[in-house]
Amino acid sequence: MREKLYPTNRLEAFSDGVLAVIITIMVLELKVPHEDGMTGLISIAPMLFVYLLSFAFTSIYWINHHHLLRRVEECDHRVLYANLGFLFSISLLPFFTAYVIEKNNDSFSVALYAASMIFTAFCFFLLRLAIARLLRRTDSLNPEDKATERKHILSLALYIAAIPLAHFHPHLALGAITLVTIIWVLPAMGMKKTAMD
Amino acid sequence: MREKLYPTNRLEAFSDGVLAVIITIMVLELKVPHEDGMTGLISIAPMLFVYLLSFAFTSIYWINHHHLLRRVEECDHRVLYANLGFLFSISLLPFFTAYVIEKNNDSFSVALYAASMIFTAFCFFLLRLAIARLLRRTDSLNPEDKATERKHILSLALYIAAIPLAHFHPHLALGAITLVTIIWVLPAMGMKKTAMD
Amino acid sequence: MREKLYPTNRLEAFSDGVLAVIITIMVLELKVPHEDGMTGLISIAPMLFVYLLSFAFTSIYWINHHHLLRRVEECDHRVLYANLGFLFSISLLPFFTAYVIEKNNDSFSVALYAASMIFTAFCFFLLRLAIARLLRRTDSLNPEDKATERKHILSLALYIAAIPLAHFHPHLALGAITLVTIIWVLPAMGMKKTAMD
Amino acid sequence: MREKLYPTNRLEAFSDGVLAVIITIMVLELKVPHEDGMTGLISIAPMLFVYLLSFAFTSIYWINHHHLLRRVEECDHRVLYANLGFLFSISLLPFFTAYVIEKNNDSFSVALYAASMIFTAFCFFLLRLAIARLLRRTDSLNPEDKATERKHILSLALYIAAIPLAHFHPHLALGAITLVTIIWVLPAMGMKKTAMD
């Protein structure tokens, strides 16, 4: 007996809704400083940077999710649950972002922040597997997937490296996390130029 | 005179929006602990567990809602109102989740949490009736509905049992609620394996 | 020169999103009581009632909005702006709901709450006019509109009556507001029965 | 090798979700005043005005975004990233709105508020460029774009003027920002009249 399949449109709409809320409520964690004028603004600069990092992280996952889901038109229960698992993992990001902000980027909170990113990467990997399983039944996996996979492994390595790094130098660990963002955003920009010229 | 029918797409979009916000704003109830390091993280572990439980609860309802609504393409006013009633009931979840968290899982708050889940189960049951009424006019109810119904009755029984249980042992009551989640998630995983092999 | 028209799908999606967030963030205004056990729950009962009222109010507008917008497939700039005006007016509801809750239903806050509902009713009326203008160009206004219009005028009268009433007896004013909700929900339920039998 | 293109529907849905959340969570920044009665309401009037301003600002961008995106049916990675950049810039608005509200419209906070609007205008300009690049490949840019561009430049000039103005007279600076809103809303209303008569 073949299992029932669901069209992915509501899955996409729900995921878009959850990701839109996640990316936006993080701004509620930013607190207006007590000091007036420029002093106040400078005191919250690290907070603003962490917010930018979390926003970029969620954005990149939205693009990857978009990229992944457009290849299937229907999905099974396994994909539904794997997707909910991924949304759960990324829904913790605003909390761990608040953690880092309130603890002023101390070692432990930066390590937690990196660990939460690894957890999200792992859940996204499970979703990727669930989708690949569906694809194997219908069309073949294309070579471009290899390049993306390599990028995912590199990202994961950097997140994992950030945890012990946070113990000695929290800002360097944040730097490693920032590097992941750059790895994803920059080539996308460059690729376009090559494709155009 | 036949009553006017509405296409369900906006109903689905609105429900997805409300459920996406509900599932995500619960993260705002998680408070960063005062203690630094691992002690702080351990102190909030029960909170994180309740958050996971509420996330799973809302997820399962989203899947059930998805499953239910895809069987109709148009709905009447009764379905619109029953759906809003269901959304109201589930919108109380973040509040009762915060209740349990702030009261440190005491008997009364866990009983309230279970009661709020029963209320949601009851409202979803009304929505199910309203949809079944529409289906009877167009196509026949399929046998698979019986299995789902049995699962709904079992869940309800566990939620109801959780209320007196909370009086004597709040953690056992939370265990009963967790069991409901497992009843829904596990077979879905298993079913897939069978369907594949 | 004929003005450009926009398909209404994004207008509907955006409105659904805004209404979904409005209806859900109101739950954040509910505060867990300090008292443990039943005493605590009883102390927040009026708050829960006001939340139910605001939820019902927003729901009814969502249904009316749904009903109104489905009659046009394209809209002009005037409709876009009238719709944003309506969304602005209803976005104030969570604030005035919080107002009533924090001020323990005192005369002034209940009057403000009613005034905010009148403001929303007025903005929805402007949106209705903007849509009617479009409809006049394409198809004719149907007779059913008359019945809805009468219901809108009755609602407005009750909201306006609630303002002076709030001065003498805030709870009676809340009763008048509740009555409006019943006027909208009950006949919809009854109508169905008639249509079925 | 031609680059892959994405349909814009999910981009629109995600942007609608983010903008819907941004526009609505700002209401959470409004705090119920301590004073009872009319005194309390009057004390929060400036806050309500800033909220109206931010709501109008976001609304106008939603309309412009709507207007821009409907001209393309597919987009490339550059548009995806430019759009996320735009969403990031506008997601800061609730924070800078809270800033102005908490600092009681002092010079520095009003200047920051204007600066955040300039940043959004700049990011929207980048999105506009990315879209124009796609359009050049498919259809021609229409003359109406020129008029909109002139309006964008005028808005930018007023925002930039608001920064030094805020130093001497914060309320005048808020006036300049209000003027931008009027420039966008009024002609849209007038245009309709002309088109109709």
Side-chain angles (χ1 to χ4, degrees):
Chain A
M1 192 199 82
R2 276 296 287 274
E3 187 197 353
K4 263 184 323 189
L5 291 175
Y6 292 78
T8 55
N9 58 336
R10 258 194 90 178
L11 179 110
E12 290 184 342
F14 183 68
S15 308
D16 279 351
V18 172
L19 292 173
V21 179
I22 288 172
I23 218 169
T24 327
I25 58 169
M26 282 188 299
V27 85
L28 295 175
E29 309 292 356
L30 297 175
K31 301 287 174 249
V32 176
H34 290 291
E35 298 91 346
D36 287 331
M38 194 49 94
T39 338
L41 185 64
I42 289 167
S43 75
I44 58 162
M47 246 172 55
L48 283 173
F49 179 72
V50 173
Y51 174 66
L52 169 61
L53 218 58
S54 293
F55 194 100
F57 180 83
T58 316
S59 295
I60 289 167
Y61 272 100
W62 177 75
I63 287 183
N64 284 335
H65 191 266
H66 188 14
H67 195 79
L68 191 65
L69 263 296
R70 67 191 287 249
R71 293 177 52 194
V72 287
E73 270 169 24
E74 291 187 310
C75 65
D76 55 8
H77 259 98
R78 199 188 280 261
V79 171
L80 285 185
Y81 280 104
N83 189 58
L84 287 164
F86 160 67
L87 292 178
F88 173 72
S89 69
I90 205 164
S91 82
L92 291 170
L93 191 71
F95 176 60
F96 290 112
T97 302
Y99 217 113
V100 165
I101 289 174
E102 283 192 31
K103 297 288 183 197
N104 280 310
N105 306 346
D106 76 347
S107 294
F108 187 74
S109 66
V110 171
L112 258 186
Y113 187 55
S116 124
M117 283 167 164
I118 292 169
F119 180 48
T120 301
F122 174 72
C123 289
F124 191 75
F125 177 71
L126 291 184
L127 176 61
R128 188 173 279 275
L129 282 186
I131 299 268
R133 222 171 118 273
L134 275 182
L135 286 177
R136 234 172 293 135
R137 286 196 272 166
T138 54
D139 71 23
S140 62
L141 295 161
N142 57 21
E144 183 217 10
D145 291 339
K146 292 274 171 220
T148 312
E149 211 165 291
R150 243 175 292 133
K151 223 144 91 179
H152 274 289
I153 292 168
L154 183 56
S155 306
L156 203 58
L158 280 166
Y159 288 140
I160 292 172
I163 295 184
L165 212 59
H167 188 69
F168 303 106
H169 207 302
H171 288 104
L172 219 66
L174 281 179
I177 293 169
T178 312
L179 196 61
V180 177
T181 305
I182 295 169
I183 288 171
W184 284 94
V185 178
L186 262 205
M189 292 295 164
M191 212 167 67
K192 233 107 299 140
K193 270 176 205 140
T194 335
M196 287 301 105
D197 299 339
Chain B
M1 190 199 84
R2 275 297 287 274
E3 187 196 353
K4 261 183 321 187
L5 291 176
Y6 293 79
T8 55
N9 58 337
R10 259 195 89 177
L11 178 111
E12 289 184 343
F14 183 67
S15 307
D16 280 351
V18 171
L19 291 172
V21 179
I22 288 172
I23 218 169
T24 327
I25 58 170
M26 283 188 297
V27 85
L28 294 175
E29 309 291 355
L30 298 175
K31 302 285 173 251
V32 177
H34 290 292
E35 298 91 344
D36 287 332
M38 193 50 92
T39 338
L41 185 64
I42 290 168
S43 75
I44 58 162
M47 243 172 57
L48 283 173
F49 179 71
V50 173
Y51 174 66
L52 169 60
L53 218 58
S54 292
F55 193 99
F57 180 84
T58 316
S59 294
I60 289 168
Y61 271 100
W62 178 75
I63 287 184
N64 284 335
H65 191 266
H66 188 13
H67 196 79
L68 190 67
L69 263 296
R70 67 191 286 251
R71 295 177 52 195
V72 287
E73 270 169 25
E74 291 187 310
C75 65
D76 54 8
H77 259 97
R78 198 188 281 261
V79 171
L80 284 186
Y81 281 104
N83 189 57
L84 287 165
F86 160 67
L87 292 178
F88 173 71
S89 69
I90 204 164
S91 83
L92 291 171
L93 191 71
F95 176 60
F96 289 112
T97 301
Y99 217 112
V100 165
I101 289 174
E102 282 192 33
K103 297 288 183 195
N104 280 310
N105 306 347
D106 77 347
S107 294
F108 188 75
S109 66
V110 171
L112 257 185
Y113 187 54
S116 124
M117 283 168 164
I118 292 169
F119 180 49
T120 301
F122 174 73
C123 290
F124 190 74
F125 177 70
L126 290 184
L127 176 60
R128 188 173 278 275
L129 282 186
I131 299 269
R133 221 170 119 274
L134 274 182
L135 286 176
R136 234 172 291 138
R137 287 197 271 167
T138 54
D139 71 24
S140 61
L141 294 161
N142 55 22
E144 184 218 9
D145 291 340
K146 292 274 169 218
T148 312
E149 211 164 292
R150 243 174 292 134
K151 223 143 92 179
H152 273 289
I153 291 168
L154 183 57
S155 306
L156 203 59
L158 280 166
Y159 287 140
I160 292 173
I163 294 184
L165 212 60
H167 188 68
F168 303 106
H169 206 304
H171 288 105
L172 219 67
L174 280 179
I177 293 169
T178 312
L179 196 61
V180 177
T181 306
I182 295 170
I183 288 172
W184 284 95
V185 178
L186 263 205
M189 291 298 164
M191 212 168 66
K192 235 107 299 143
K193 271 175 205 140
T194 336
M196 287 301 105
D197 300 338
Chain C
M1 190 199 82
R2 275 296 286 274
E3 187 196 353
K4 261 182 323 187
L5 291 175
Y6 293 80
T8 55
N9 58 336
R10 258 195 89 178
L11 178 110
E12 289 185 342
F14 183 67
S15 306
D16 280 351
V18 171
L19 291 173
V21 179
I22 288 173
I23 217 169
T24 327
I25 57 169
M26 283 188 299
V27 86
L28 294 174
E29 308 293 355
L30 297 175
K31 301 288 174 249
V32 177
H34 289 292
E35 298 92 345
D36 287 332
M38 193 51 93
T39 338
L41 185 64
I42 289 168
S43 75
I44 57 162
M47 244 172 56
L48 283 173
F49 179 72
V50 172
Y51 174 66
L52 169 60
L53 218 59
S54 292
F55 194 100
F57 180 83
T58 316
S59 295
I60 288 167
Y61 271 101
W62 177 74
I63 288 184
N64 285 335
H65 191 266
H66 188 13
H67 195 79
L68 190 66
L69 263 296
R70 67 191 287 247
R71 294 177 52 196
V72 287
E73 270 169 26
E74 290 187 309
C75 65
D76 55 8
H77 259 98
R78 197 188 282 260
V79 170
L80 284 186
Y81 280 105
N83 189 57
L84 287 165
F86 161 67
L87 293 177
F88 173 72
S89 69
I90 204 164
S91 82
L92 291 171
L93 191 71
F95 176 60
F96 289 112
T97 301
Y99 217 111
V100 165
I101 289 174
E102 283 192 31
K103 296 289 182 196
N104 280 310
N105 306 346
D106 76 346
S107 294
F108 188 74
S109 66
V110 171
L112 257 185
Y113 187 55
S116 125
M117 283 167 163
I118 293 169
F119 180 47
T120 301
F122 175 71
C123 290
F124 191 73
F125 177 71
L126 291 184
L127 176 59
R128 188 173 278 276
L129 282 186
I131 299 269
R133 223 172 116 272
L134 274 183
L135 285 176
R136 234 172 292 136
R137 285 197 272 166
T138 53
D139 71 24
S140 61
L141 294 162
N142 55 23
E144 185 217 10
D145 290 339
K146 292 273 170 223
T148 313
E149 210 164 292
R150 244 174 290 133
K151 222 143 91 181
H152 273 289
I153 291 168
L154 183 57
S155 306
L156 203 60
L158 280 165
Y159 288 139
I160 291 172
I163 295 183
L165 212 59
H167 188 68
F168 303 106
H169 206 303
H171 288 104
L172 218 68
L174 281 179
I177 292 169
T178 312
L179 195 61
V180 176
T181 306
I182 296 171
I183 288 172
W184 284 94
V185 178
L186 263 205
M189 291 295 164
M191 210 167 69
K192 235 107 300 140
K193 270 175 206 141
T194 336
M196 287 300 106
D197 301 337
Chain D
M1 191 198 81
R2 277 295 286 273
E3 187 197 353
K4 261 184 322 191
L5 291 175
Y6 294 79
T8 55
N9 57 336
R10 258 195 90 178
L11 177 110
E12 289 184 344
F14 183 68
S15 307
D16 279 351
V18 172
L19 292 172
V21 180
I22 289 172
I23 217 170
T24 327
I25 58 170
M26 283 188 298
V27 85
L28 294 174
E29 309 291 356
L30 298 175
K31 301 286 175 251
V32 176
H34 289 292
E35 298 91 345
D36 287 331
M38 193 51 93
T39 337
L41 185 65
I42 289 168
S43 74
I44 57 162
M47 245 172 54
L48 283 172
F49 179 71
V50 172
Y51 174 66
L52 169 61
L53 218 58
S54 292
F55 194 100
F57 181 83
T58 316
S59 295
I60 288 167
Y61 271 100
W62 177 74
I63 288 183
N64 284 335
H65 190 267
H66 189 13
H67 195 79
L68 191 65
L69 263 296
R70 68 191 287 250
R71 294 177 52 195
V72 287
E73 270 168 25
E74 291 187 310
C75 65
D76 55 8
H77 259 98
R78 197 187 282 260
V79 171
L80 285 185
Y81 280 104
N83 189 57
L84 287 164
F86 160 67
L87 292 177
F88 173 71
S89 69
I90 204 164
S91 82
L92 292 171
L93 191 71
F95 176 60
F96 289 113
T97 301
Y99 216 113
V100 165
I101 289 174
E102 283 192 31
K103 296 289 182 197
N104 279 311
N105 307 345
D106 77 346
S107 294
F108 188 75
S109 66
V110 171
L112 258 185
Y113 187 55
S116 125
M117 284 168 162
I118 292 168
F119 180 48
T120 301
F122 175 72
C123 290
F124 191 74
F125 178 70
L126 290 184
L127 176 60
R128 187 173 278 276
L129 281 186
I131 299 269
R133 220 170 119 275
L134 274 182
L135 286 176
R136 234 172 291 136
R137 286 196 272 166
T138 53
D139 71 24
S140 61
L141 294 161
N142 55 23
E144 185 218 9
D145 291 339
K146 292 274 171 220
T148 312
E149 211 164 291
R150 243 174 292 133
K151 223 143 91 179
H152 274 289
I153 292 168
L154 183 57
S155 306
L156 203 60
L158 280 165
Y159 288 140
I160 292 172
I163 295 183
L165 212 59
H167 188 68
F168 303 106
H169 207 304
H171 288 104
L172 219 67
L174 281 178
I177 293 169
T178 311
L179 195 61
V180 176
T181 306
I182 295 170
I183 288 171
W184 284 95
V185 178
L186 262 204
M189 291 295 164
M191 211 168 69
K192 234 108 300 140
K193 271 177 206 139
T194 335
M196 287 301 105
D197 300 339

